[in-house]
């Protein structure tokens, strides 16, 4: 048909109790019908599907263009739901839950027979999180099933922390997005593997290794590659969470070194956006200079929004100051390094 209107994505607000309850009910009915919806979480906006409906789960992969080997996180709202998804639940999960759940921590456990290959990428483990966002929590409870949800973006693009970001990539591709304002954490959850002999961080996040070690003294040093357990696609995803413009890291020495670095990347100052975590005395006519808060939590909250805004300005290059060392900065550092990874 020629004059069919282009599909539009419905946006629901949540800023009154009535709107909130209405949006929960609509989301649950979309998920029950086997469709997907973009919904707020405390980390980033998620693209949600009923985890026990394999066809709905496959829709997530289709819409995102996500490789089938990249497994999804399953979200629960009780320990009973977690036991339904996991084959075995080590004692450490209960200790971790006491300190960090509901919240931005994901644990990888042996999977139960209820979890399909579509979710795990074919592997024997499943990643599970109990999210803290009240909207997400109510959706899971009212649906009565766990909810599979990756970030609500196209594969390898920036993760969304506002509804504007979601619509920029997925408008017309999904029936519904629910607006609850900017995400409080701003980067994806910490992923902790509890399926091996020693607990190991697969993806750093705002819950740091030091915080986890207080509860899990045997946590392994350093970050283990997430490909260790998922494995079928070794080295496939160094790039992730990326803006459109190339992004390079720098250690600040002087402005003339920055101008030289821009030149080595075929960009003049007027085509280059600078991002730092400390105010720097810059005088050249840079396209923009952005100073992030010198605090890992506030930095994480701002990161994707500033990358999104910078993308819209269409710079030729983004230069970003290497964040400080320390486990509390590991989540921010990881996302910046992935954004800066070479593209194929
Ligand atoms: P996203 O949903 O985009 O935040 O990404 C989910 C991430 O969780 C994956 O890219 C992996 O890093 C991790 N993950 C999910 N399931 C597993 C699993 N079974 N084993 C190891 N890592 C997993
Ligand atoms: Mg993602």
């Amino acid at each position: 048909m020629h004059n069919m209107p282009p599909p539009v994505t419905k946006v629901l607000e949540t800023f009154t109790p009535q709107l909130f309850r209405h949006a929960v009910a609509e989301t649950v009915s979309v998920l029950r019908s086997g469709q997907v919806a973009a919904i707020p979480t405390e980390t980033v906006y998620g693209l949600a599907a009923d985890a026990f409906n394999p066809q709905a789960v496959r829709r997530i992969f289709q819409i995102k263009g996500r490789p089938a080997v990249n497994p999804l996180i399953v979200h629960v709202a009780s320990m009973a739901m977690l036991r339904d998804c996991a084959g075995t639940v080590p004692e450490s999960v209960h200790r971790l839950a006491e300190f960090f759940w509901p919240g931005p921590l994901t644990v990888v456990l042996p999977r139960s027979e209820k979890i399909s290959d579509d979710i795990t990428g074919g592997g024997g483990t499943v990643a599970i999180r109990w999210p803290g966002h009240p909207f997400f929590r109510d959706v899971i409870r009212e649906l009565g099933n766990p909810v599979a949800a990756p970030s609500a973006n196209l594969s390898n693009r920036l993760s969304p922390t506002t509804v504007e970001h979601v619509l920029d990539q997925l408008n017309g591709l999904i029936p519904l997005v629910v607006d609850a304002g900017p995400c409080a954490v701003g980067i994806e959850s910490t992923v902790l593997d509890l399926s091996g002999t020693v607990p190991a961080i697969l993806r750093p996040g705002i819950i740091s290794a030091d915080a986890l070690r207080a509860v899990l003294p045997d946590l392994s040093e350093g970050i283990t590659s997430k490909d260790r357990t998922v494995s079928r696609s070794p080295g496939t995803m160094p790039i992730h969470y990326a803006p459109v413009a190339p992004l390079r890291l720098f250690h600040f020495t002087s402005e003339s070194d920055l101008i030289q670095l821009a030149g080595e990347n075929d960009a003049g100052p007027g085509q280059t956006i600078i991002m730092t975590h400390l105010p720097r005395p810059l005088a050249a006519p840079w396209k923009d200079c952005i100073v992030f808060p010198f605090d890992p939590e506030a930095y994480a909250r701002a990161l994707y929004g500033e990358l999104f805004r910078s993308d819209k300005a269409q710079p030729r290059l983004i230069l970003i100051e290497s964040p400080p060392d320390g486990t509390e900065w590991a989540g921010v550092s990881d996302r910046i390094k992935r954004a800066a990874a070479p593209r194929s």
Side-chain angles (χ1 to χ4, degrees), residues 44-256:
V44 302
Y45 274 76
L47 189 59
D50 180 343
F52 288 163
N53 180 339
Q55 241 170 313
V57 169
R58 283 196 287 275
R59 281 292 294 149
I60 292 179
F61 286 86
Q62 282 164 8
I63 290 165
K64 286 182 57 100
R66 183 176 174 107
V69 291
N70 195 359
L72 301 182
I73 295 171
V74 170
H75 299 82
V76 300
S78 67
M79 290 309 265
M81 237 183 220
L82 175 134
R83 281 192 296 273
D84 223 17
C85 300
T88 53
V89 182
E91 188 272 326
S92 57
V93 172
H94 297 279
R95 262 184 295 143
L96 288 163
E98 224 174 283
F99 285 87
F100 300 112
W101 277 352
L105 174 69
T106 298
V107 298
V108 173
L109 298 174
R111 71 163 166 178
S112 76
E113 75 290 345
K114 282 188 136 175
I115 296 294
S116 69
D117 280 345
D118 298 293
I119 287 178
T120 67
T125 58
V126 60
I128 305 175
R129 180 164 95 84
W130 182 340
H133 198 288
F135 184 84
F136 201 1
R137 179 199 60 200
D138 281 10
V139 165
I140 299 168
R141 284 190 189 153
E142 201 159 314
L143 180 69
N145 277 353
V147 169
S151 47
N153 55 290
L154 300 173
S155 198
N156 289 344
R157 297 275 304 280
L158 268 182
S159 293
T161 54
T162 65
V163 159
E164 184 193 3
H165 303 166
V166 174
L167 290 175
D168 189 62
Q169 295 188 37
L170 300 184
N171 197 10
L173 299 179
I174 55 174
L176 176 65
V177 54
V178 175
D179 192 349
C183 299
V185 175
I187 59 172
E188 300 81 352
S189 58
T190 304
V191 179
L192 174 67
D193 186 3
L194 297 174
S195 69
T197 43
V198 178
I201 293 177
L202 301 181
R203 176 174 75 184
I206 222 62
I207 294 180
S208 69
D210 285 349
L212 290 172
R213 201 164 279 118
V215 184
L216 278 181
D218 58 336
L219 180 69
S220 109
E221 290 289 331
I223 310 295
T224 308
S225 159
K226 67 178 174 188
D227 296 325
R228 189 185 66 156
T229 45
V230 185
S231 87
R232 262 151 305 279
S233 52
T236 46
M237 289 150 226
I239 175 166
H240 210 132
Y241 321 113
V244 173
L247 182 143
R248 300 280 173 271
L249 288 152
F250 67 85
H251 288 278
F252 188 78
T253 43
S254 67
E255 184 163 30
S256 57

